Amino acid sequence: MSTSSVPRPEPLAPAALRPRPAGAGRPGVRRGARQALALFAAVRLAGVVAVLLADHATRHSLGRTLAHSWDSRWYLHIAQHGYGHLIWITPTGAVQTDWAFFPLYPGLVRAVTVLLPLTPGQAGVALAWAAAGAAAYGLYLIGHQLYGRAVATALVALWAVLPHAVELTLAYTESLFAALAFWALYCVLNGRWLWAGSLAALAGLSRPSGFAVAAALGVTAVCELVRRRGRMPAAVWAGALLAPLGWLGYVLWVGERTGNLLGGYFMVQSAWTSRFDFGVGAARFLRALFLYGGGVVYPYALVIVAAGLLLLALLCLDGAPLPLLVFAGVLVLLVIGGSGSFSSKPRFLLPAFPLLFPLARALARAWWARPARAVLVGAALTAVSLLYGAYVTVVAHSPL
């Protein structure tokens, strides 16, 4: 079969108000989604096994890493005791509080432990796994709508084998944020603005970077406003206004608690060395890395961030729908311009799935032209993802 048989994108209607695709519920779409989700589950379960084996090899209690790695302990403590009960004084004297962590994930963990006989750690991992599956399904539907089944399957597979995809199976917020963000973007691509705004508001309650979804909806709504010369359905206005409420509400709540309504949350984040400094911190890191080296994790993180920049440029040239381009662009901007540990930056790029479109299309073409080579590439990416995921979560001592 020639590469011309690979599904290719057709000219797209304006992304904001495109009607719902009739094929979204067809048996063929559902069957393709099941296959893609099975592939995703197989890869990520293999990742869980790799982490468990690494736990055993390093004499950690089995499964400890899945539920109690770095930020997981803060989220689980909030789920059990609420906010304002956990404070850490750093060696430099900075006061780090649990107000830096957004409330949706620990709130859901608390709800699950009330409803089911699970510990907070078990509930956190179960939520992460369920959300990862929901995110993968939304990812498949977006890819299928834009490029067809082959690219959608490749997109889900690539997301499963990202170097830091292991964090989709930890008690972290990445899975939950990804699920809410992906489905919000799927809704806005199909003109379901009320659903999109509601999901975006929830995404804003899950992570500090949640406002990237609201930005995607807001920019798209403004462009539609200009294109339609001010005449837009009320649902578009409502969705765009709903989108930032979750993020803004929590920021203002923390500000009220600290006595500085507009700046309190950013003071809290600053104590965690997390602030937007227009890349000054990243430049200092690069200088130190080139002068003194950085083991395995930090150079690897630099390669991933550089790849994200390159893929963003390719995405712009590819003419991706506006909300997807804005979403990915804001996440990349936060990674490049934000301070904080460089080893955590690849995790912040996990939800930026539009960056994978150029690679997914290339992999789909390779599958039709040279399937053996495509399988070999997929197997190599999977092996690297599993090994690096186990290393960075269990062996390395760098912040996730």
Side-chain angles (χ1 to χ4, degrees):
M1 186 177 294
S2 69
T3 56
S4 62
S5 61
V6 177
R8 298 182 185 278
E10 297 179 358
L12 296 173
L17 301 176
R18 192 176 306 128
R20 182 187 181 192
R26 286 196 315 226
V29 177
R30 293 196 299 268
R31 185 164 54 251
R34 285 197 297 268
Q35 294 171 354
L37 289 176
L39 177 61
F40 177 82
V43 172
R44 291 316 333 140
L45 285 175
V48 170
V49 172
V51 170
L52 294 177
L53 291 175
D55 271 341
H56 178 72
T58 54
R59 297 184 179 179
H60 292 154
S61 57
L62 206 60
R64 169 188 172 274
T65 302
L66 295 176
H68 300 283
S69 294
W70 294 92
D71 291 353
S72 299
R73 289 169 286 190
W74 289 82
Y75 285 118
L76 298 182
H77 192 277
I78 294 168
Q80 290 178 280
H81 306 287
Y83 282 101
H85 298 286
L86 186 57
I87 296 174
W88 169 255
I89 308 297
T90 69
T92 60
V95 180
Q96 297 177 340
T97 70
D98 52 16
W99 287 334
F101 298 91
F102 276 54
L104 184 59
Y105 178 70
L108 290 175
V109 170
R110 177 65 174 266
V112 170
T113 58
V114 170
L115 296 173
L116 298 174
L118 298 175
T119 67
Q122 292 167 342
V125 171
L127 276 171
W129 291 8
Y137 184 39
L139 184 59
Y140 179 86
L141 291 181
I142 293 174
H144 190 282
Q145 177 176 335
L146 296 178
Y147 299 110
R149 177 176 174 177
V151 175
T153 302
L155 185 64
V156 172
L158 286 172
W159 197 55
V161 300
L162 288 175
H164 278 64
V166 64
E167 294 176 46
L168 298 173
T169 49
L170 304 182
Y172 262 58
T173 57
E174 267 60 38
S175 297
L176 179 62
F177 172 61
L180 294 168
F182 295 2
W183 281 95
L185 293 169
Y186 177 73
C187 288
V188 79
L189 287 175
N190 293 286
R192 298 179 174 182
W193 277 87
L194 287 177
W195 274 107
S198 301
L199 291 168
L202 290 174
L205 281 172
S206 64
R207 283 199 55 76
S209 54
F211 72 86
V213 193
L217 268 64
V219 171
T220 305
V222 169
C223 290
E224 286 296 317
L225 177 67
V226 173
R227 190 181 69 85
R228 291 171 170 263
R229 298 180 181 178
R231 297 186 296 272
M232 286 199 307
V236 178
W237 292 105
L241 292 174
L242 274 173
L245 292 184
W247 184 88
L248 185 62
Y250 183 69
V251 168
L252 293 178
W253 180 83
V254 174
E256 189 274 332
R257 289 296 187 94
T258 60
N260 183 349
L261 186 63
L262 298 180
Y265 171 76
F266 302 102
M267 291 170 55
V268 169
Q269 285 285 17
S270 182
W272 287 82
T273 67
S274 178
R275 56 187 175 273
F276 193 83
D277 61 2
F278 298 94
V280 173
R284 289 173 179 166
F285 161 78
L286 289 177
R287 181 177 181 275
L289 180 64
F290 289 128
L291 287 176
Y292 309 111
V296 175
V297 173
Y298 290 100
Y300 205 71
L302 177 60
V303 170
I304 294 171
V305 172
L309 276 173
L310 175 61
L311 290 172
L312 180 62
L314 293 176
L315 185 68
C316 294
L317 296 174
D318 206 32
L322 181 61
L324 304 187
L325 187 58
V326 173
F327 175 68
V330 170
L331 291 179
V332 171
L333 179 63
L334 291 175
V335 165
I336 299 300
S339 61
S341 175
F342 210 91
S343 63
S344 298
K345 291 184 182 293
R347 171 166 65 91
F348 302 151
L349 286 176
L350 264 179
F353 74 92
L355 300 178
L356 298 176
F357 279 146
L359 297 179
R361 295 175 67 188
L363 185 59
R365 288 193 296 268
W367 173 256
W368 291 112
R370 299 179 180 85
R373 184 174 297 181
V375 170
L376 183 62
V377 169
L381 290 175
T382 302
V384 171
S385 175
L386 300 185
L387 293 174
Y388 185 74
Y391 174 80
V392 78
T393 53
V394 180
V395 180
H397 298 290
S398 304
L400 293 178

